[in-house]
């Protein structure tokens, strides 16, 4: 075999080898571009989004602190309308999402949060919504141009956070939660350095020792001021005082803190902005 023939055959083998590799390279390209996989979930999933406001027919309503939604990678949405919590299916298709019929709790709240809740529920359930993510901000837009504006929430820390009490739960599996009276402003803050908790019970100020363990907090004897307030505020205070001189379970879900007493009664609080 002469030199010219050998060179021609080598070129043919090289051409065939490169041609065989092209489909493999193309297949790899469909799997990953740079460091982001095409199979990665949309950027709206796996994030706790806090609802900032809803705009309907040109009128904007600011959201209560509790309003928010999380969509997991399997298309399950859960969150709060501002008073009641809800779950729903979320069908994701590119930059659009459609929320299914929600299941919600039956808690009664003050007129303001309940009115916002209905507006938010109607807007989220009004059909396919266009999503737009810009940094830490998300916007849902209906086909009619109404919008829900949301901001990414970072999980709150137990210590150093002002926890605003939003609801009190009755004991027992069939117990129902009730929101605080409109005038009540109960709030608790845990101090790691001092090993203490302080805040407002709805009427009086409180201070007590607080020893935090794995999922539990031992609250000491409370020291309080001695004011007398409206009966509704005193009822809130009495319920919160029931947490002290005992050990309570605690759980933080993003920016929601739940305290559960030994007899099963619960206190729900959200991290203030």
């Amino acid at each position: 075999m002469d030199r010219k023939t050998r060179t021609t055959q080598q070129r043919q083998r090289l051409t065939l080898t490169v041609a065989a590799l092209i489909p493999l390279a193309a297949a790899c390209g469909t799997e990953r571009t740079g460091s982001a996989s095409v199979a990665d979930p949309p950027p709206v999933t796996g994030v706790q989004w806090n609802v900032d406001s809803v705009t309907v027919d040109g009128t904007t309503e600011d959201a209560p602190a509790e309003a928010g939604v999380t969509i997991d990678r399997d298309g399950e949405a859960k969150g709060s309308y501002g008073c009641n919590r809800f779950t729903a299916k979320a069908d994701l298709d590119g930059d659009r999402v459609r929320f299914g019929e929600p299941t919600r709790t039956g808690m009664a709240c003050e007129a303001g949060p309940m009115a916002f809740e209905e507006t938010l529920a109607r807007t989220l359930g009004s059909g396919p919504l266009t999503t737009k993510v810009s940094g830490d901000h998300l916007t849902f837009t209906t086909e009619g141009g109404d919008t829900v504006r949301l901001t990414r929430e970072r999980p709150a820390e137990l210590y150093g956070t002002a926890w605003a009490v939003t609801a009190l739960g009755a004991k027992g599996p069939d117990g129902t939660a009730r929101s605080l009276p409109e005038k009540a402003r109960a709030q608790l803050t845990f101090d790691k350095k001092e090993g203490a908790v302080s805040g407002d019970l709805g009427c009086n100020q409180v201070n007590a020792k607080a020893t935090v363990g794995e999922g539990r907090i031992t609250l000491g004897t409370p020291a309080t001021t001695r004011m007398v307030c409206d009966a509704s505020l005193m009822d809130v205070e009495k319920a919160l005082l029931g947490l002290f001189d005992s050990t309570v379970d605690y759980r933080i879900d993003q920016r929601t803190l739940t305290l559960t007493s030994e007899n099963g009664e619960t206190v729900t609080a959200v991290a203030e902005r």
Side-chain angles (χ1 to χ4, degrees), residues 86-109:
F86 72 91
T87 59
K89 293 298 294 181
D91 293 324
L92 296 158
D93 184 11
D95 66 345
R96 295 165 76 83
V97 60
R98 181 191 292 270
F99 292 99
E101 186 68 24
T103 299
R104 66 170 94 177
T105 56
M107 188 168 66
C109 297

Side-chain angles (χ1 to χ4, degrees), residues 161-237:
T161 299
W163 294 104
V165 178
T166 58
L168 305 174
K171 59 184 177 181
D174 299 325
T176 57
R178 67 184 190 279
S179 64
L180 269 61
E182 192 169 5
K183 295 183 293 183
R185 295 291 182 268
Q187 174 263 322
L188 298 171
T189 301
F190 293 88
D191 188 315
K192 184 175 184 178
K193 182 178 179 180
E194 298 295 330
V197 62
S198 62
D200 191 333
L201 298 173
C203 177
N204 286 285
Q205 301 293 308
V206 65
N207 286 278
K209 289 293 184 182
T211 304
V212 179
E214 186 67 30
R216 310 196 81 191
I217 305 173
T218 299
L219 298 170
T221 302
T224 67
T225 54
R226 299 295 182 181
M227 292 173 52
V228 176
C229 301
D230 292 344
S232 60
L233 302 184
M234 297 305 292
D235 287 342
V236 170
E237 182 161 308

Side-chain angles (χ1 to χ4, degrees), residues 20-169:
L21 289 174
I22 288 174
L24 294 176
C28 292
T30 60
E31 292 295 329
R32 185 168 297 274
T33 302
S35 61
S37 170
V38 174
D40 284 348
V44 300
T45 61
V47 176
Q48 170 68 32
W49 296 103
N50 188 78
V51 178
D52 298 321
S53 64
V54 177
T55 301
V56 175
D57 295 332
T59 300
T60 299
E61 297 180 49
D62 291 332
E66 307 91 275
V69 62
T70 301
I71 304 173
D72 67 24
R73 298 187 180 197
D74 295 325
E76 186 75 22
K78 63 178 181 179
S80 170
Y81 289 125
C83 174
N84 284 284
R85 301 195 64 78
F86 72 91
T87 59
K89 293 298 294 181
D91 293 324
L92 296 158
D93 184 11
D95 66 345
R96 295 165 76 83
V97 60
R98 181 191 292 270
F99 292 99
E101 186 68 24
T103 299
R104 66 170 94 177
T105 56
M107 188 168 66
C109 297
E110 299 296 325
M114 288 302 294
F116 179 88
E117 176 165 307
E118 293 308 316
T119 300
L120 178 59
R122 281 197 308 270
T123 306
L124 292 179
S126 62
L129 307 172
T130 300
T131 67
K132 181 179 179 182
V133 178
S134 178
D136 283 343
H137 301 283
L138 167 66
T139 303
F140 292 136
T141 304
T142 70
E143 292 182 338
D146 297 331
T147 60
V148 180
R149 300 187 184 279
L150 310 95
T151 300
R152 179 192 299 264
E153 286 289 359
R154 308 297 180 181
E157 298 288 340
L158 175 66
Y159 293 111
T161 299
W163 294 104
V165 178
T166 58
L168 305 174

